[in-house]
Coordinates of all heavy atoms in Angstrom, one line a residue:
M7 N 27.5 40.6 -14.9 CA 27.0 40.9 -13.6 C 25.5 41.3 -13.6 O 24.7 40.8 -12.8 CB 27.9 42.0 -12.9 CG 27.4 42.3 -11.6 SD 27.9 41.0 -10.4 CE 27.4 41.7 -8.9
I8 N 25.2 42.1 -14.6 CA 23.8 42.6 -14.7 C 22.9 41.4 -15.1 O 21.8 41.3 -14.7 CB 23.7 43.7 -15.7 CG1 24.5 45.0 -15.2 CG2 22.3 44.1 -16.0 CD1 24.5 46.1 -16.1
K9 N 23.5 40.5 -16.0 CA 22.7 39.4 -16.5 C 22.4 38.4 -15.3 O 21.2 38.0 -15.2 CB 23.5 38.6 -17.5 CG 22.8 37.4 -18.1 CD 23.6 36.8 -19.2 CE 22.9 35.6 -19.8 NZ 23.7 34.9 -20.8
N10 N 23.3 38.2 -14.4 CA 23.1 37.3 -13.2 C 22.1 37.9 -12.3 O 21.3 37.3 -11.7 CB 24.4 37.0 -12.5 CG 25.3 36.1 -13.3 OD1 24.9 35.4 -14.2 ND2 26.6 36.2 -13.0
T11 N 22.2 39.2 -12.1 CA 21.3 39.9 -11.2 C 19.9 39.9 -11.7 O 18.9 39.6 -11.0 CB 21.7 41.4 -11.0 OG1 23.1 41.4 -10.5 CG2 20.9 42.1 -9.9
T12 N 19.8 40.1 -13.0 CA 18.4 40.1 -13.6 C 17.8 38.7 -13.6 O 16.7 38.5 -13.2 CB 18.6 40.5 -15.1 OG1 19.2 41.8 -15.2 CG2 17.2 40.6 -15.8
L13 N 18.6 37.7 -13.8 CA 18.2 36.3 -13.8 C 17.7 36.0 -12.3 O 16.7 35.3 -12.1 CB 19.3 35.4 -14.2 CG 18.9 33.9 -14.3 CD1 17.8 33.7 -15.3 CD2 20.1 33.1 -14.7
F14 N 18.5 36.4 -11.4 CA 18.1 36.2 -10.0 C 16.8 36.8 -9.6 O 15.9 36.1 -9.0 CB 19.2 36.7 -9.0 CG 18.9 36.7 -7.6 CD1 18.9 35.5 -6.9 CD2 18.4 37.8 -6.9 CE1 18.5 35.4 -5.6 CE2 18.1 37.8 -5.6 CZ 18.1 36.6 -4.9
F15 N 16.6 38.0 -10.0 CA 15.3 38.7 -9.7 C 14.1 38.1 -10.5 O 13.0 38.0 -9.9 CB 15.4 40.2 -10.0 CG 16.1 40.9 -8.9 CD1 17.3 41.6 -9.2 CD2 15.6 41.0 -7.6 CE1 18.0 42.3 -8.2 CE2 16.3 41.7 -6.6 CZ 17.5 42.3 -6.9
V16 N 14.3 37.6 -11.7 CA 13.3 37.0 -12.4 C 12.9 35.7 -11.7 O 11.7 35.3 -11.6 CB 13.7 36.7 -13.9 CG1 12.8 35.8 -14.6 CG2 13.8 38.1 -14.6
A17 N 13.9 34.9 -11.3 CA 13.7 33.6 -10.6 C 12.9 33.9 -9.3 O 11.9 33.1 -9.0 CB 15.0 32.9 -10.3
V18 N 13.3 34.9 -8.5 CA 12.6 35.2 -7.3 C 11.2 35.6 -7.6 O 10.3 35.2 -6.9 CB 13.4 36.3 -6.5 CG1 12.6 36.8 -5.3 CG2 14.7 35.7 -6.0
F19 N 11.0 36.4 -8.6 CA 9.6 36.9 -8.9 C 8.7 35.7 -9.3 O 7.6 35.7 -8.9 CB 9.7 37.9 -10.1 CG 8.4 38.4 -10.5 CD1 7.7 39.3 -9.8 CD2 7.8 37.9 -11.7 CE1 6.5 39.8 -10.2 CE2 6.6 38.4 -12.2 CZ 5.9 39.3 -11.4
I20 N 9.3 34.8 -10.1 CA 8.5 33.6 -10.5 C 8.1 32.7 -9.3 O 7.0 32.3 -9.1 CB 9.2 32.8 -11.5 CG1 9.3 33.5 -12.8 CG2 8.6 31.4 -11.7 CD1 10.1 32.9 -13.9
L21 N 9.1 32.5 -8.4 CA 8.8 31.7 -7.2 C 7.8 32.4 -6.2 O 6.9 31.7 -5.7 CB 10.1 31.4 -6.5 CG 11.1 30.4 -7.2 CD1 12.4 30.3 -6.4 CD2 10.4 29.1 -7.3
V22 N 8.0 33.6 -6.0 CA 7.1 34.4 -5.1 C 5.7 34.5 -5.8 O 4.7 34.4 -5.1 CB 7.7 35.7 -4.8 CG1 6.6 36.6 -4.0 CG2 8.9 35.6 -3.9
G23 N 5.7 34.6 -7.1 CA 4.4 34.8 -7.8 C 3.5 33.5 -7.7 O 2.3 33.6 -7.9
C24 N 4.2 32.4 -7.6 CA 3.4 31.1 -7.5 C 2.9 30.8 -6.1 O 2.1 29.9 -5.9 CB 4.3 30.0 -7.9 SG 4.8 30.1 -9.7
A25 N 3.4 31.6 -5.1 CA 3.0 31.3 -3.7 C 1.5 31.8 -3.5 O 1.1 32.8 -4.1 CB 3.9 32.0 -2.8
S26 N 0.8 31.1 -2.6 CA -0.5 31.5 -2.3 C -0.7 31.3 -0.8 O -0.3 30.3 -0.2 CB -1.5 30.6 -3.0 OG -2.8 30.8 -2.6
Y27 N -1.3 32.3 -0.2 CA -1.6 32.2 1.2 C -3.0 31.7 1.6 O -3.4 31.7 2.7 CB -1.3 33.5 1.9 CG 0.1 34.0 1.7 CD1 0.5 34.9 0.8 CD2 1.1 33.4 2.5 CE1 1.8 35.3 0.7 CE2 2.4 33.7 2.4 CZ 2.8 34.7 1.4 OH 4.1 35.0 1.3
K28 N -3.7 31.4 0.5 CA -5.1 30.9 0.7 C -5.2 29.4 0.4 O -4.5 28.9 -0.5 CB -6.0 31.7 -0.3 CG -7.4 31.3 -0.3 CD -8.2 32.0 -1.4 CE -9.6 31.5 -1.4 NZ -10.3 32.0 -2.6
E29 N -5.9 28.7 1.2 CA -6.1 27.3 1.0 C -6.7 27.0 -0.3 O -7.6 27.7 -0.8 CB -7.0 26.6 2.1 CG -6.5 26.8 3.5 CD -6.9 28.0 4.2 OE1 -7.7 28.8 3.6 OE2 -6.4 28.3 5.3
Q30 N -6.3 26.0 -1.0 CA -6.8 25.6 -2.3 C -7.2 24.2 -2.3 O -6.5 23.3 -2.0 CB -5.7 25.8 -3.4 CG -5.2 27.2 -3.5 CD -4.2 27.4 -4.5 OE1 -3.9 26.5 -5.3 NE2 -3.5 28.5 -4.5
Y31 N -8.5 24.0 -2.5 CA -9.1 22.6 -2.5 C -9.8 22.3 -3.8 O -10.3 23.2 -4.5 CB -10.2 22.6 -1.4 CG -9.6 22.8 0.0 CD1 -9.9 24.0 0.7 CD2 -8.9 21.8 0.6 CE1 -9.4 24.2 1.9 CE2 -8.4 22.0 1.9 CZ -8.6 23.2 2.6 OH -8.1 23.4 3.8
R32 N -9.8 21.1 -4.1 CA -10.5 20.6 -5.3 C -12.0 20.7 -5.1 O -12.4 20.4 -4.0 CB -10.1 19.2 -5.6 CG -10.7 18.7 -6.9 CD -10.3 17.3 -7.1 NE -8.9 17.2 -7.5 CZ -8.3 16.2 -8.1 NH1 -9.0 15.2 -8.4 NH2 -7.1 16.2 -8.3
E33 N -12.7 21.1 -6.0 CA -14.2 21.3 -5.9 C -14.9 20.0 -5.5 O -15.7 19.9 -4.7 CB -14.8 21.8 -7.2 CG -14.4 23.3 -7.5 CD -14.9 24.2 -6.4 OE1 -16.0 24.0 -5.9 OE2 -14.2 25.2 -6.1
E34 N -14.5 18.9 -6.2 CA -15.1 17.6 -6.0 C -14.2 16.7 -5.3 O -13.0 16.6 -5.6 CB -15.7 17.0 -7.3 CG -14.5 16.8 -8.3 CD -15.1 16.4 -9.6 OE1 -16.0 17.0 -10.1 OE2 -14.6 15.3 -10.1
S35 N -14.7 15.9 -4.4 CA -13.8 14.9 -3.7 C -13.8 13.6 -4.4 O -14.9 13.1 -4.9 CB -14.4 14.7 -2.3 OG -13.6 13.7 -1.6
Q36 N -12.6 13.1 -4.6 CA -12.5 11.8 -5.3 C -12.0 10.7 -4.4 O -11.1 11.0 -3.6 CB -11.6 11.9 -6.5 CG -12.1 12.8 -7.6 CD -11.1 12.9 -8.8 OE1 -10.0 12.4 -8.7 NE2 -11.6 13.4 -9.9
N37 N -12.6 9.6 -4.4 CA -12.1 8.4 -3.6 C -11.0 7.8 -4.3 O -11.1 7.4 -5.5 CB -13.3 7.5 -3.4 CG -12.9 6.4 -2.3 OD1 -11.8 6.4 -1.8 ND2 -13.9 5.6 -2.0
A38 N -9.8 7.7 -3.7 CA -8.6 7.1 -4.3 C -8.8 5.6 -4.6 O -8.2 5.1 -5.5 CB -7.4 7.4 -3.4
F39 N -9.6 4.9 -3.8 CA -9.8 3.5 -4.0 C -11.3 3.2 -4.0 O -11.9 3.4 -3.0 CB -9.1 2.7 -2.8 CG -9.1 1.3 -3.1 CD1 -8.1 0.7 -3.9 CD2 -10.0 0.4 -2.5 CE1 -8.0 -0.6 -4.1 CE2 -9.9 -1.0 -2.7 CZ -8.9 -1.5 -3.6
P40 N -11.8 2.8 -5.2 CA -13.2 2.6 -5.3 C -13.7 1.6 -4.3 O -13.0 0.6 -4.0 CB -13.4 2.1 -6.7 CG -12.1 2.5 -7.4 CD -11.1 2.6 -6.4
D41 N -14.9 1.7 -3.8 CA -15.5 0.8 -2.9 C -15.7 -0.6 -3.4 O -15.7 -1.6 -2.7 CB -16.8 1.4 -2.3 CG -16.6 2.6 -1.5 OD1 -15.5 2.8 -1.0 OD2 -17.5 3.4 -1.4
N42 N -16.0 -0.7 -4.7 CA -16.3 -2.0 -5.3 C -15.1 -2.7 -5.9 O -15.2 -3.8 -6.4 CB -17.4 -1.8 -6.3 CG -16.9 -0.9 -7.4 OD1 -15.9 -0.3 -7.4 ND2 -17.8 -0.8 -8.5
A43 N -13.9 -2.2 -5.7 CA -12.7 -2.8 -6.3 C -12.1 -3.8 -5.3 O -12.3 -3.7 -4.1 CB -11.6 -1.7 -6.6
Q44 N -11.5 -4.8 -5.9 CA -10.9 -5.9 -5.1 C -9.4 -5.7 -5.1 O -8.8 -5.3 -6.2 CB -11.2 -7.3 -5.7 CG -12.6 -7.8 -5.3 CD -12.8 -9.2 -5.8 OE1 -12.4 -9.6 -6.9 NE2 -13.3 -10.0 -4.9
I45 N -8.8 -6.1 -4.1 CA -7.3 -6.0 -4.0 C -6.8 -7.3 -4.7 O -7.1 -8.4 -4.3 CB -6.8 -5.9 -2.5 CG1 -7.3 -4.6 -1.9 CG2 -5.3 -6.0 -2.5 CD1 -7.0 -4.5 -0.5
V46 N -6.0 -7.1 -5.7 CA -5.5 -8.3 -6.4 C -4.2 -8.8 -5.8 O -4.0 -10.0 -5.7 CB -5.2 -7.9 -7.9 CG1 -4.6 -9.0 -8.7 CG2 -6.5 -7.4 -8.6
K47 N -3.3 -7.9 -5.5 CA -2.0 -8.2 -4.9 C -1.7 -7.3 -3.7 O -2.1 -6.1 -3.7 CB -0.9 -8.1 -5.9 CG -0.9 -9.1 -7.0 CD 0.3 -9.0 -7.8 CE 0.1 -10.0 -9.0 NZ 1.3 -10.8 -9.3
S48 N -1.1 -7.8 -2.7 CA -0.6 -7.0 -1.6 C 0.9 -7.1 -1.5 O 1.5 -8.1 -1.7 CB -1.2 -7.5 -0.3 OG -2.6 -7.4 -0.3
F49 N 1.5 -6.0 -1.1 CA 2.9 -5.9 -0.9 C 3.2 -5.5 0.5 O 2.7 -4.5 0.9 CB 3.6 -5.0 -1.9 CG 3.5 -5.5 -3.3 CD1 2.5 -5.2 -4.1 CD2 4.6 -6.2 -3.9 CE1 2.4 -5.6 -5.5 CE2 4.5 -6.7 -5.2 CZ 3.4 -6.3 -6.0
Y50 N 4.0 -6.2 1.2 CA 4.4 -5.9 2.6 C 5.9 -5.6 2.6 O 6.7 -6.4 2.1 CB 4.1 -7.0 3.5 CG 2.6 -7.4 3.6 CD1 2.1 -8.5 2.9 CD2 1.8 -6.6 4.4 CE1 0.8 -8.8 3.0 CE2 0.5 -6.9 4.5 CZ 0.0 -8.0 3.8 OH -1.4 -8.3 3.9
L51 N 6.2 -4.4 3.0 CA 7.6 -4.0 3.1 C 8.0 -4.1 4.6 O 7.3 -3.6 5.5 CB 7.8 -2.6 2.7 CG 7.4 -2.3 1.2 CD1 7.5 -0.8 0.9 CD2 8.3 -3.0 0.3
I52 N 9.1 -4.8 4.9 CA 9.5 -4.9 6.3 C 11.0 -4.6 6.4 O 11.8 -5.0 5.6 CB 9.2 -6.3 6.9 CG1 9.5 -6.3 8.3 CG2 9.9 -7.4 6.1 CD1 8.9 -7.5 9.1
G53 N 11.3 -3.8 7.4 CA 12.7 -3.5 7.7 C 12.9 -3.9 9.1 O 12.0 -4.4 9.8
D54 N 14.1 -3.8 9.6 CA 14.5 -4.2 11.0 C 14.3 -5.7 11.2 O 14.2 -6.1 12.3 CB 13.6 -3.4 12.0 CG 14.1 -3.5 13.4 OD1 15.3 -3.7 13.6 OD2 13.3 -3.4 14.3
A55 N 14.2 -6.5 10.2 CA 14.0 -7.9 10.4 C 15.4 -8.6 10.6 O 15.4 -9.7 11.2 CB 13.3 -8.6 9.2
G56 N 16.4 -8.0 10.1 CA 17.7 -8.6 10.3 C 18.3 -8.4 11.7 O 19.3 -9.0 12.1
K57 N 17.7 -7.6 12.5 CA 18.1 -7.4 13.9 C 17.4 -8.2 14.9 O 17.2 -7.9 16.1 CB 18.0 -5.9 14.2 CG 18.9 -5.1 13.4 CD 18.9 -3.6 13.9 CE 19.9 -2.8 13.1 NZ 20.0 -1.5 13.5
S58 N 16.9 -9.4 14.4 CA 16.1 -10.3 15.3 C 17.1 -10.9 16.3 O 18.2 -11.3 15.9 CB 15.4 -11.4 14.5 OG 14.4 -10.8 13.7
P59 N 16.7 -11.1 17.5 CA 17.6 -11.8 18.5 C 17.7 -13.3 18.1 O 16.9 -13.8 17.4 CB 16.9 -11.6 19.8 CG 15.5 -11.3 19.5 CD 15.5 -10.7 18.2
M60 N 18.8 -13.9 18.6 CA 19.0 -15.3 18.3 C 17.8 -16.1 18.9 O 17.4 -16.0 20.0 CB 20.3 -15.8 19.0 CG 20.8 -17.1 18.5 SD 21.2 -16.9 16.7 CE 22.9 -17.0 16.8
N61 N 17.3 -17.0 18.0 CA 16.1 -17.8 18.4 C 14.9 -17.0 18.8 O 14.1 -17.4 19.6 CB 16.4 -18.9 19.5 CG 17.5 -19.8 19.0 OD1 17.6 -20.2 17.9 ND2 18.3 -20.3 20.0
G62 N 14.8 -15.8 18.2 CA 13.6 -15.0 18.5 C 13.2 -14.2 17.3 O 13.7 -14.4 16.2
K63 N 12.4 -13.2 17.5 CA 11.9 -12.4 16.4 C 11.9 -10.9 16.9 O 11.7 -10.6 18.0 CB 10.4 -12.7 16.1 CG 10.3 -14.2 15.6 CD 8.8 -14.5 15.4 CE 8.7 -15.9 15.0 NZ 7.3 -16.3 15.0
S64 N 12.2 -10.1 15.9 CA 12.2 -8.6 16.1 C 10.7 -8.1 16.2 O 9.8 -8.8 15.9 CB 12.9 -7.9 15.0 OG 12.1 -7.9 13.8
E65 N 10.6 -6.9 16.7 CA 9.2 -6.3 16.9 C 8.6 -6.2 15.5 O 7.4 -6.3 15.4 CB 9.3 -5.0 17.5 CG 9.8 -5.0 19.0 CD 9.8 -3.7 19.6 OE1 9.3 -2.7 19.1 OE2 10.5 -3.6 20.7
G66 N 9.4 -5.9 14.5 CA 8.8 -5.8 13.1 C 8.2 -7.1 12.6 O 7.1 -7.2 12.0
L67 N 8.9 -8.2 12.9 CA 8.4 -9.5 12.4 C 7.2 -9.9 13.2 O 6.2 -10.5 12.7 CB 9.5 -10.6 12.6 CG 10.6 -10.6 11.5 CD1 11.7 -11.6 11.9 CD2 10.1 -10.9 10.2
I68 N 7.2 -9.6 14.5 CA 6.0 -10.0 15.3 C 4.8 -9.2 14.9 O 3.7 -9.7 14.8 CB 6.3 -9.7 16.8 CG1 7.4 -10.7 17.3 CG2 5.1 -9.8 17.7 CD1 7.9 -10.3 18.7
A69 N 5.0 -7.9 14.6 CA 3.9 -7.1 14.1 C 3.3 -7.6 12.7 O 2.1 -7.6 12.5 CB 4.3 -5.6 14.0
L70 N 4.3 -8.0 11.9 CA 3.8 -8.5 10.6 C 3.0 -9.8 10.8 O 2.0 -10.0 10.1 CB 5.1 -8.8 9.7 CG 4.8 -9.5 8.3 CD1 4.0 -8.5 7.4 CD2 6.0 -9.9 7.7
E71 N 3.5 -10.7 11.6 CA 2.8 -12.0 11.9 C 1.4 -11.7 12.4 O 0.4 -12.3 12.0 CB 3.5 -12.8 12.9 CG 4.7 -13.6 12.3 CD 5.3 -14.5 13.3 OE1 5.1 -14.3 14.5 OE2 6.0 -15.4 12.9
Q72 N 1.3 -10.7 13.3 CA -0.1 -10.4 13.9 C -1.0 -9.8 12.8 O -2.2 -10.0 12.8 CB 0.1 -9.4 15.0 CG 0.7 -10.1 16.2 CD 1.0 -9.1 17.3 OE1 0.9 -7.9 17.2 NE2 1.5 -9.6 18.5
H73 N -0.4 -9.0 11.9 CA -1.2 -8.3 10.9 C -1.7 -9.3 9.8 O -2.9 -9.2 9.4 CB -0.4 -7.3 10.2 CG -1.1 -6.6 9.1 ND1 -2.1 -5.6 9.4 CD2 -1.1 -6.6 7.7 CE1 -2.6 -5.2 8.2 NE2 -2.0 -5.8 7.2
I74 N -0.9 -10.3 9.4 CA -1.4 -11.2 8.4 C -1.9 -12.6 8.9 O -2.2 -13.5 8.2 CB -0.2 -11.5 7.4 CG1 0.9 -12.2 8.1 CG2 0.2 -10.3 6.7 CD1 2.0 -12.7 7.1
E75 N -2.1 -12.6 10.2 CA -2.5 -13.9 10.9 C -3.7 -14.5 10.3 O -3.8 -15.7 10.0 CB -2.7 -13.6 12.4 CG -2.9 -14.9 13.2 CD -2.9 -14.6 14.7 OE1 -2.2 -13.7 15.1 OE2 -3.7 -15.2 15.4
N76 N -4.8 -13.8 10.1 CA -6.1 -14.3 9.6 C -6.4 -13.8 8.2 O -7.6 -13.6 7.8 CB -7.2 -13.9 10.5 CG -7.0 -14.6 11.9 OD1 -6.6 -15.8 11.9 ND2 -7.3 -13.9 13.0
Q77 N -5.4 -13.5 7.4 CA -5.6 -12.9 6.1 C -5.2 -14.0 5.0 O -4.3 -14.8 5.3 CB -4.8 -11.7 5.9 CG -5.3 -10.5 6.7 CD -4.6 -9.2 6.4 OE1 -4.0 -9.1 5.3 NE2 -4.7 -8.3 7.3
D78 N -5.8 -13.9 3.8 CA -5.4 -14.7 2.7 C -4.1 -14.1 2.1 O -4.2 -13.0 1.5 CB -6.5 -14.8 1.7 CG -6.1 -15.6 0.5 OD1 -5.2 -16.5 0.6 OD2 -6.8 -15.5 -0.6
T79 N -3.0 -14.8 2.2 CA -1.8 -14.2 1.7 C -1.3 -14.9 0.4 O -0.1 -14.9 0.1 CB -0.7 -14.4 2.7 OG1 -0.5 -15.7 3.1 CG2 -1.0 -13.5 3.9
K80 N -2.3 -15.5 -0.3 CA -1.9 -16.3 -1.5 C -1.3 -15.3 -2.6 O -0.3 -15.7 -3.2 CB -3.2 -16.9 -2.1 CG -3.0 -17.7 -3.4 CD -4.3 -18.2 -3.9 CE -4.1 -18.9 -5.2 NZ -5.4 -19.3 -5.8
N81 N -1.8 -14.1 -2.7 CA -1.3 -13.2 -3.7 C -0.6 -12.0 -3.1 O -0.5 -10.9 -3.6 CB -2.5 -12.6 -4.6 CG -3.1 -13.6 -5.5 OD1 -2.3 -14.5 -6.0 ND2 -4.4 -13.6 -5.7
A82 N 0.1 -12.3 -1.9 CA 0.8 -11.3 -1.2 C 2.3 -11.5 -1.4 O 2.8 -12.6 -1.6 CB 0.5 -11.4 0.3
H83 N 3.0 -10.4 -1.4 CA 4.5 -10.4 -1.6 C 5.1 -9.7 -0.4 O 4.7 -8.7 0.0 CB 4.9 -9.7 -2.9 CG 4.3 -10.3 -4.1 ND1 4.8 -11.4 -4.7 CD2 3.1 -10.0 -4.8 CE1 4.0 -11.7 -5.8 NE2 3.0 -10.9 -5.8
L84 N 6.2 -10.3 0.1 CA 6.9 -9.8 1.3 C 8.2 -9.3 0.8 O 9.0 -10.0 0.1 CB 7.1 -10.8 2.4 CG 7.9 -10.4 3.6 CD1 7.2 -9.2 4.3 CD2 8.0 -11.6 4.5
I85 N 8.6 -8.0 1.0 CA 9.8 -7.4 0.6 C 10.6 -7.0 1.8 O 10.1 -6.2 2.6 CB 9.6 -6.2 -0.4 CG1 8.8 -6.7 -1.6 CG2 10.9 -5.6 -0.8 CD1 8.3 -5.6 -2.5
F86 N 11.8 -7.5 1.9 CA 12.7 -7.2 3.0 C 13.5 -6.0 2.6 O 14.2 -6.1 1.6 CB 13.6 -8.3 3.5 CG 12.8 -9.4 4.2 CD1 12.3 -10.5 3.5 CD2 12.6 -9.4 5.5 CE1 11.6 -11.5 4.1 CE2 12.0 -10.4 6.2 CZ 11.4 -11.4 5.5
T87 N 13.5 -4.9 3.3 CA 14.3 -3.7 3.0 C 15.6 -3.8 3.8 O 15.7 -4.4 4.8 CB 13.6 -2.4 3.3 OG1 13.3 -2.4 4.7 CG2 12.3 -2.3 2.5
R88 N 16.6 -3.1 3.3 CA 17.8 -3.0 4.0 C 18.5 -1.7 3.7 O 18.1 -1.0 2.8 CB 18.8 -4.2 3.6 CG 19.3 -4.0 2.1 CD 20.2 -5.1 1.8 NE 21.1 -4.6 0.7 CZ 22.1 -5.2 0.2 NH1 22.4 -6.4 0.7 NH2 22.8 -4.7 -0.7
R89 N 19.4 -1.3 4.6 CA 20.1 -0.1 4.4 C 21.2 -0.1 3.4 O 21.8 -1.0 3.1 CB 20.7 0.4 5.7 CG 19.6 0.8 6.6 CD 19.9 1.7 7.8 NE 21.1 1.5 8.6 CZ 21.3 2.2 9.6 NH1 20.5 3.0 10.0 NH2 22.4 2.0 10.3

């Protein structure tokens, strides 16, 4: 019983000790995607495509068509998600 209680208080102390109420920011800002880099491949994930009406398109498919309408899709991949 004492061992479990001690372990509980040690765990709570460690968790509370790691908390900070002050904002913490990195000193220097880094751009996640360099400005001079080219996109080699694009991946499009689409869900809700299976619920298209008969002889029609779902809102997800229409939005995808509009998004890729004037883009080069040579190196693009389309992934259909499902539940």
Side-chain angles (χ1 to χ4, degrees):
M7 179 73 174
I8 294 175
K9 183 179 179 181
N10 290 339
T11 305
T12 305
L13 183 60
F14 173 75
F15 283 115
V16 168
V18 168
F19 179 74
I20 290 172
L21 290 174
V22 172
C24 295
S26 173
Y27 297 104
K28 181 182 173 191
E29 298 88 7
Q30 298 179 12
Y31 299 105
R32 182 182 291 199
E33 292 295 324
E34 59 188 51
S35 176
Q36 293 180 348
N37 191 358
F39 191 78
D41 294 334
N42 58 354
Q44 281 187 317
I45 296 175
V46 178
K47 292 185 184 224
S48 296
F49 292 88
Y50 297 99
L51 302 173
I52 185 165
D54 192 28
K57 295 187 178 184
S58 295
M60 196 63 108
N61 296 326
K63 298 176 185 172
S64 68
E65 292 180 18
L67 286 174
I68 293 170
L70 176 67
E71 280 184 344
Q72 290 173 354
H73 179 74
I74 64 172
E75 188 172 326
N76 295 323
Q77 293 186 17
D78 179 23
T79 56
K80 180 180 174 187
N81 291 324
H83 301 277
L84 177 62
I85 300 172
F86 289 91
T87 60
R88 66 176 207 176
R89 292 199 315 186

